[in-house]
Amino acid sequence: MAQINANKLIDFIKLYFPEDATEISDALDLLSLALDGLLSSTNTTIAEFHKNKDFDKGMELWEFSKSVAEIQEEINEYSTLISIDAEIDEEEPEEEPDEIEEQRTIPNYSDYAVDSSIPHTLYEDFTHKKAVAFLFNNNRHPAKDWKDVLLQTCDLLAEIDAAKFSEFINDPGMRGRKISYFSKKHVDRKNAKMKNIDIYVWTNLSANSIRNLIRKLLKKFNIKLTNYYVYLRADYTPLHKNEKVKDEFDTMQYDYNNEDKIGKLVRQTLRQLSNRQYRFTDKELNSMLSKQWSKEVLNIDYPLLRKVEDDKDISVQIKDGMYGRYWKEIFEFNGMKFLATSQWYERHREPFTRWITNLQD
């Protein structure tokens, strides 16, 4: 695949499928970690070949190792390009309130509590989720928050091999875009000192960034990711649903509100809603199929949406009478397929924008 085509593909995924982009980035990171293990194994075997003076096999394996390193570098490049929010190390996350404060400030706090006895792997998404403990070497360790999970994990690994852990200070793989995860210098409110060695750990990270860093640490110590589990006390994802929708609408307005063609604005907006699996209420969806509602709210002459009939040719369904009035592109909402009217003029921009903005309320 040519580089330019790959970049276009990545931009497309990030624009229309941001959640998938994050999953792909995580998967590429895991693949890179696995290749780290492979490179470590090949280096050990190369040393054995040289020790036994089997230099031909050693050179052959060295060439193999070089190819693996080149593939890994390319994987890391794509992972960085497709990453949406894999590392939040340049911006300070909001202070994480403790459980007592959350009980006081969050309505219906108990509605968001989860079973703290259920283990969660390091392959999961921890956005808006609160940690209460983690399992390492078959021992459960209570934790105040995600920062505490990270610090305790670092302390436990340092107990296994402090010298190895100290090497992370100069390890390029233990650096973010602008910071080092481990250093000798204290940065106020950004990092915290480990318990038994003179190293500061960068804790100013999101939950998923902490998860990613723990993955790297375990891999460096040749510990399987499946031997480490996290326990949660709360999941606030429902509280952030409206916030996510608002952010998506803000992004669409920023990208498309200045386009010359109102039709392009409508089509791109509906496409993003469809790709992001936005769910309308049954009443909203039925209204969008109505000619009366479409006229009253959007001032258009045709129903905004038309339900797709699977047993009919699309080229027939786009027509109203003799003329095509709907795009052939299929949009999916609430598990059903729809066509959208293509009949848009500049006078429709204001009512359409007003309707889209009101969806987030």
Side-chain angles (χ1 to χ4, degrees), residues 145-162:
D145 51 32
W146 283 106
K147 294 180 181 180
D148 195 27
V149 169
L150 175 59
L151 275 172
Q152 287 194 58
T153 301
C154 290
D155 287 332
L156 291 169
L157 291 174
E159 289 176 7
I160 296 174
D161 192 336

Side-chain angles (χ1 to χ4, degrees), residues 94-344:
E94 295 180 3
E95 282 295 321
E96 192 171 354
D98 58 28
E99 186 172 5
I100 295 176
E101 184 178 352
E102 288 174 356
Q103 290 176 354
R104 181 174 59 83
T105 59
I106 296 177
N108 303 319
Y109 168 81
S110 60
D111 292 346
Y112 307 102
V114 297
D115 189 343
S116 61
S117 67
I118 297 177
H120 298 267
T121 72
L122 292 177
Y123 298 99
E124 298 180 38
D125 180 6
F126 294 116
T127 304
H128 306 313
K129 297 171 184 176
K130 305 298 181 180
V132 70
F134 65 96
L135 187 75
F136 180 67
N137 282 343
N138 293 319
N139 292 316
R140 178 172 167 136
H141 303 269
K144 295 181 296 183
D145 51 32
W146 283 106
K147 294 180 181 180
D148 195 27
V149 169
L150 175 59
L151 275 172
Q152 287 194 58
T153 301
C154 290
D155 287 332
L156 291 169
L157 291 174
E159 289 176 7
I160 296 174
D161 192 336
K164 183 182 186 69
F165 201 99
S166 297
E167 294 175 358
F168 296 155
I169 293 176
N170 298 314
D171 188 341
M174 290 298 178
R175 292 175 185 167
R177 291 187 292 268
K178 294 185 178 180
I179 56 93
S180 295
Y181 294 129
F182 305 100
S183 70
K184 291 286 188 178
K185 296 180 180 179
H186 174 60
V187 181
D188 188 38
R189 298 180 63 191
K190 302 287 186 178
N191 62 11
K193 191 176 182 299
M194 293 178 61
K195 186 168 62 176
N196 296 321
I197 58 177
D198 189 26
I199 291 179
Y200 289 89
V201 181
W202 195 269
T203 57
N204 188 51
L205 299 166
S206 68
N208 281 344
S209 294
I210 287 174
R211 173 205 64 189
N212 292 347
L213 181 53
I214 291 174
R215 286 175 179 173
K216 292 183 180 182
L217 290 168
L218 296 177
K219 199 66 181 179
K220 290 288 185 180
F221 275 82
N222 295 318
I223 297 171
K224 292 182 178 180
L225 301 186
T226 51
N227 290 340
Y228 187 106
Y229 294 93
V230 176
Y231 298 90
L232 304 174
R233 61 175 174 81
D235 181 357
Y236 296 126
T237 302
L239 283 177
H240 295 268
K241 182 179 180 181
N242 290 337
E243 174 186 316
K244 178 181 177 183
V245 171
K246 181 179 184 302
D247 288 343
E248 291 178 355
F249 280 116
D250 288 345
T251 299
M252 287 189 282
Q253 183 177 6
Y254 175 81
D255 285 339
Y256 304 116
N257 203 39
N258 293 324
E259 293 289 348
D260 292 333
K261 301 289 187 180
I262 176 62
K264 184 171 184 178
L265 166 64
V266 173
R267 197 169 185 174
Q268 296 278 31
T269 302
L270 293 176
R271 184 183 296 145
Q272 286 200 24
L273 289 173
S274 175
N275 289 337
R276 290 171 177 174
Q277 298 180 348
Y278 182 81
R279 191 168 187 85
F280 293 98
T281 65
D282 291 341
K283 182 178 179 181
E284 288 172 333
L285 206 52
N286 287 331
S287 295
M288 293 155 67
L289 294 167
S290 161
K291 184 173 182 178
Q292 180 180 348
W293 176 91
S294 300
K295 183 65 176 179
E296 291 175 354
V297 176
L298 302 175
N299 195 31
I300 56 178
D301 297 323
Y302 299 89
L304 173 59
L305 298 181
R306 170 179 284 180
K307 195 170 183 181
V308 172
E309 299 178 52
D310 291 332
D311 58 343
K312 287 187 179 180
D313 193 290
I314 288 294
S315 61
V316 174
Q317 297 185 60
I318 66 171
K319 292 182 178 180
D320 190 274
M322 295 178 60
Y323 302 100
R325 303 299 186 188
Y326 288 81
W327 289 305
K328 287 185 177 181
E329 181 173 0
I330 294 176
F331 304 92
E332 292 193 25
F333 301 114
N334 299 24
M336 295 177 282
K337 298 177 181 179
F338 299 91
L339 302 176
T341 182
S342 59
Q343 303 303 292
W344 297 91

